[in-house]
């Protein structure tokens, strides 16, 4: 993500709405949008608990098909679990923030529409992501695949391929390529990467049961 914004008003709102989510600051980037809708509590007063580990079989299957790391994909799902992934809640958020992301992988419309081209889900619509978690995982896997094709052949710095892909997922392909050329991640990107590392163990444990 390129920035992380938390105004006092947003902090107050999200403290009430997202107490169970454990965060009052939503990141901004390729898969995220800031702000929490005031209508969210009425649209979905009791969002269903969400645990990415429930989707380990889908993660393994789609990661294999896309040629990406299942552990990376699962860790990203944990990174993106900072808000309730309830369909009604997500749509309430999107009505307030039209550029908000959809689905458990927090994908924006432009990224989804670009990723689906020429693939077996080309006829699917971005608005289906909140209801179809398998589709959300598939799209995220192929987005990571596409990011991998944009990595430069010659890279410098200490970041691994999967770390670069995660940063690309969060901050966009242009920033990913800059990191691959040796540019150090900024504080927000580093925070995302640190969370990815922390979630790596959880991701591996989730995948062990598949």
């Amino acid at each position: 993500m390129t920035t992380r914004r938390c105004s006092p008003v947003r902090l107050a709102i999200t403290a009430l709405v997202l107490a169970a989510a454990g965060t009052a600051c939503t990141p901004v980037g390729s898969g995220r949008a800031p702000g929490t809708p005031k209508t969210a509590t009425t649209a979905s007063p009791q969002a269903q608990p969400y645990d990415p580990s429930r989707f380990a079989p889908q993660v393994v299957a789609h990661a294999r098909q896309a040629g990406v790391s299942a552990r990376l994909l699962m860790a990203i799902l944990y990174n993106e679990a900072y808000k309730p992934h309830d369909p009604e809640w997500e749509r309430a958020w999107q009505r307030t923030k039209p550029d908000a992301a959809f689905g458990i992988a927090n994908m924006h419309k432009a990224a989804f529409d670009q990723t689906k081209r020429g693939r077996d889900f080309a006829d699917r619509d971005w608005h289906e992501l909140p209801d179809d978690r398998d589709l959300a995982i598939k799209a995220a896997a192929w987005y990571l695949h596409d990011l991998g094709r944009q990595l430069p052949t010659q890279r410098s710095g200490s970041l691994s391929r999967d770390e670069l892909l995660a940063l690309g997922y969060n901050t966009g392909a242009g920033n990913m390529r800059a990191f691959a050329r040796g540019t150090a991640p900024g504080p927000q990107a580093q925070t995302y990467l640190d969370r990815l590392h922390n979630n790596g163990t959880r991701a591996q444990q989730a995948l062990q049961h598949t």
Side-chain angles (χ1 to χ4, degrees), residues 12 27-28 36 47 53 124 130 139 141 151 163 180 184 186 193 205 210:
V28 180
T36 302
S53 67
R124 304 296 298 274
L151 280 172
E163 288 173 327
L193 197 58
Q205 291 173 345
T210 59

Side-chain angles (χ1 to χ4, degrees), residues 151-152 154-157 159 164 175-183:
L151 280 172
Q154 300 296 325
R155 301 195 296 269
S156 59
L159 294 175
L164 289 169
N175 287 321
M176 177 190 70
R177 290 191 293 269
F179 298 144
R181 292 191 296 268
T183 299

Side-chain angles (χ1 to χ4, degrees), residues 19 90 105 143 153 164 167 178 182:
E90 287 192 36
Y143 184 43
T153 303
L164 289 169
L167 289 173

Side-chain angles (χ1 to χ4, degrees), residues 5-210:
R5 305 168 185 159
C6 286
S7 69
V9 174
R10 284 178 182 157
L11 286 171
I13 294 174
T14 36
L16 294 173
V17 179
L18 296 181
T23 178
C25 181
T26 56
V28 180
S30 62
R32 291 133 295 276
T36 302
K38 296 179 180 179
T39 57
T41 53
T42 57
S44 184
Q46 294 181 339
Q48 295 298 312
Y50 164 64
D51 182 355
S53 67
R54 294 169 48 197
F55 304 99
Q58 292 94 322
V59 167
V60 170
H62 292 309
R64 182 182 297 116
Q65 291 170 356
V68 298
S69 164
R71 187 176 186 269
L72 170 63
L73 180 56
M74 179 63 81
I76 286 176
L77 291 185
Y78 274 110
N79 267 33
E80 302 301 335
Y82 62 85
K83 68 180 183 183
H85 284 297
D86 172 83
E88 291 185 11
W89 197 97
E90 287 192 36
R91 289 192 172 91
W93 190 338
Q94 203 268 343
R95 284 193 293 272
T96 301
K97 294 287 182 180
D99 63 341
F102 265 166
I104 59 175
N106 281 333
M107 184 169 281
H108 281 301
K109 187 177 187 302
F112 178 79
D113 288 345
Q114 179 178 357
T115 302
K116 74 177 185 178
R117 293 174 184 168
R119 301 209 159 102
D120 62 3
F121 57 102
D123 61 341
R124 304 296 298 274
D125 190 270
W126 174 72
H127 292 90
E128 299 176 62
L129 291 180
D131 300 294
D132 192 335
R133 294 177 172 184
D134 181 75
L135 176 62
I137 295 168
K138 176 185 283 191
W142 283 106
Y143 184 43
L144 288 170
H145 168 90
D146 292 348
L147 286 170
R149 297 179 65 180
Q150 298 180 59
L151 280 172
T153 303
Q154 300 296 325
R155 301 195 296 269
S156 59
S158 60
L159 294 175
S160 69
R161 176 183 174 85
D162 281 355
E163 288 173 327
L164 289 169
L165 292 180
L167 289 173
Y169 191 92
N170 180 245
T171 68
N175 287 321
M176 177 190 70
R177 290 191 293 269
F179 298 144
R181 292 191 296 268
T183 299
Q188 290 76 28
Q190 186 61 53
T191 296
Y192 188 87
L193 197 58
D194 292 342
R195 289 172 56 211
L196 187 87
H197 293 156
N198 292 336
N199 284 324
T201 300
R202 299 172 69 189
Q204 188 61 44
Q205 291 173 345
L207 295 171
Q208 285 175 353
H209 301 291
T210 59

